[in-house]
mmCIF file of all heavy atoms in Angstrom:
data_model
loop_
_atom_site.group_PDB
_atom_site.id
_atom_site.type_symbol
_atom_site.label_atom_id
_atom_site.label_comp_id
_atom_site.label_asym_id
_atom_site.label_seq_id
_atom_site.Cartn_x
_atom_site.Cartn_y
_atom_site.Cartn_z
ATOM 1 N N ASP A 161 23.812 -0.447 -21.787
ATOM 2 C CA ASP A 161 22.711 -0.275 -20.827
ATOM 3 C C ASP A 161 23.259 -0.315 -19.407
ATOM 4 O O ASP A 161 23.856 -1.310 -18.985
ATOM 5 C CB ASP A 161 21.665 -1.369 -21.021
ATOM 6 C CG ASP A 161 21.190 -1.456 -22.469
ATOM 7 O OD1 ASP A 161 21.051 -0.398 -23.093
ATOM 8 O OD2 ASP A 161 20.970 -2.581 -22.956
ATOM 9 N N THR A 162 23.041 0.754 -18.671
ATOM 10 C CA THR A 162 23.498 0.857 -17.286
ATOM 11 C C THR A 162 22.381 1.424 -16.421
ATOM 12 O O THR A 162 21.330 1.825 -16.918
ATOM 13 C CB THR A 162 24.740 1.766 -17.177
ATOM 14 O OG1 THR A 162 24.400 3.063 -17.688
ATOM 15 C CG2 THR A 162 25.904 1.192 -17.968
ATOM 16 N N CYS A 163 22.623 1.440 -15.118
ATOM 17 C CA CYS A 163 21.643 2.010 -14.196
ATOM 18 C C CYS A 163 22.344 2.822 -13.127
ATOM 19 O O CYS A 163 23.336 2.361 -12.539
ATOM 20 C CB CYS A 163 20.805 0.903 -13.553
ATOM 21 S SG CYS A 163 19.356 1.541 -12.668
ATOM 22 N N ASP A 164 21.812 4.008 -12.889
ATOM 23 C CA ASP A 164 22.334 4.885 -11.845
ATOM 24 C C ASP A 164 21.326 4.910 -10.699
ATOM 25 O O ASP A 164 20.135 5.128 -10.935
ATOM 26 C CB ASP A 164 22.538 6.295 -12.398
ATOM 27 C CG ASP A 164 23.152 7.228 -11.366
ATOM 28 O OD1 ASP A 164 22.398 7.723 -10.502
ATOM 29 O OD2 ASP A 164 24.363 7.478 -11.428
ATOM 30 N N PRO A 165 21.765 4.677 -9.464
ATOM 31 C CA PRO A 165 20.832 4.629 -8.327
ATOM 32 C C PRO A 165 20.003 5.890 -8.147
ATOM 33 O O PRO A 165 18.936 5.849 -7.546
ATOM 34 C CB PRO A 165 21.755 4.418 -7.120
ATOM 35 C CG PRO A 165 22.989 3.815 -7.684
ATOM 36 C CD PRO A 165 23.153 4.412 -9.050
ATOM 37 N N VAL A 166 20.499 7.008 -8.689
ATOM 38 C CA VAL A 166 19.787 8.279 -8.532
ATOM 39 C C VAL A 166 18.873 8.564 -9.718
ATOM 40 O O VAL A 166 17.719 8.966 -9.545
ATOM 41 C CB VAL A 166 20.781 9.442 -8.351
ATOM 42 C CG1 VAL A 166 20.039 10.767 -8.267
ATOM 43 C CG2 VAL A 166 21.630 9.230 -7.101
ATOM 44 N N THR A 167 19.386 8.347 -10.945
ATOM 45 C CA THR A 167 18.627 8.721 -12.140
ATOM 46 C C THR A 167 17.950 7.549 -12.827
ATOM 47 O O THR A 167 17.073 7.739 -13.657
ATOM 48 C CB THR A 167 19.543 9.438 -13.145
ATOM 49 O OG1 THR A 167 20.617 8.536 -13.496
ATOM 50 C CG2 THR A 167 20.114 10.709 -12.539
ATOM 51 N N GLY A 168 18.368 6.340 -12.514
ATOM 52 C CA GLY A 168 17.736 5.166 -13.122
ATOM 53 C C GLY A 168 18.457 4.696 -14.368
ATOM 54 O O GLY A 168 19.668 4.898 -14.533
ATOM 55 N N CYS A 169 17.713 4.060 -15.279
ATOM 56 C CA CYS A 169 18.290 3.451 -16.471
ATOM 57 C C CYS A 169 18.877 4.489 -17.421
ATOM 58 O O CYS A 169 18.339 5.591 -17.574
ATOM 59 C CB CYS A 169 17.229 2.643 -17.213
ATOM 60 S SG CYS A 169 16.740 1.117 -16.367
ATOM 61 N N ALA A 170 19.989 4.096 -18.054
ATOM 62 C CA ALA A 170 20.603 4.926 -19.089
ATOM 63 C C ALA A 170 21.013 4.003 -20.231
ATOM 64 O O ALA A 170 21.642 2.962 -20.016
ATOM 65 C CB ALA A 170 21.815 5.671 -18.540
ATOM 66 N N ASN A 171 20.652 4.366 -21.452
ATOM 67 C CA ASN A 171 20.978 3.578 -22.641
ATOM 68 C C ASN A 171 21.802 4.472 -23.569
ATOM 69 O O ASN A 171 21.265 5.336 -24.252
ATOM 70 C CB ASN A 171 19.705 3.100 -23.331
ATOM 71 C CG ASN A 171 18.764 2.408 -22.365
ATOM 72 O OD1 ASN A 171 17.748 2.983 -21.966
ATOM 73 N ND2 ASN A 171 19.083 1.208 -21.954
ATOM 74 N N THR A 172 23.123 4.257 -23.548
ATOM 75 C CA THR A 172 24.051 5.138 -24.253
ATOM 76 C C THR A 172 24.499 4.516 -25.564
ATOM 77 O O THR A 172 24.937 3.355 -25.595
ATOM 78 C CB THR A 172 25.284 5.418 -23.372
ATOM 79 O OG1 THR A 172 24.838 5.895 -22.091
ATOM 80 C CG2 THR A 172 26.179 6.466 -24.009
ATOM 81 N N ASP A 173 24.401 5.292 -26.656
ATOM 82 C CA ASP A 173 24.867 4.808 -27.950
ATOM 83 C C ASP A 173 26.367 4.530 -27.917
ATOM 84 O O ASP A 173 27.154 5.333 -27.401
ATOM 85 C CB ASP A 173 24.577 5.843 -29.043
ATOM 86 C CG ASP A 173 23.089 5.957 -29.325
ATOM 87 O OD1 ASP A 173 22.374 4.970 -29.104
ATOM 88 O OD2 ASP A 173 22.636 7.046 -29.750
#
Side-chain angles (χ1 to χ4, degrees):
D161 307 322
T162 59
C163 192
D164 183 280
V166 177
T167 59
C169 289
N171 309 105
T172 307
D173 290 333

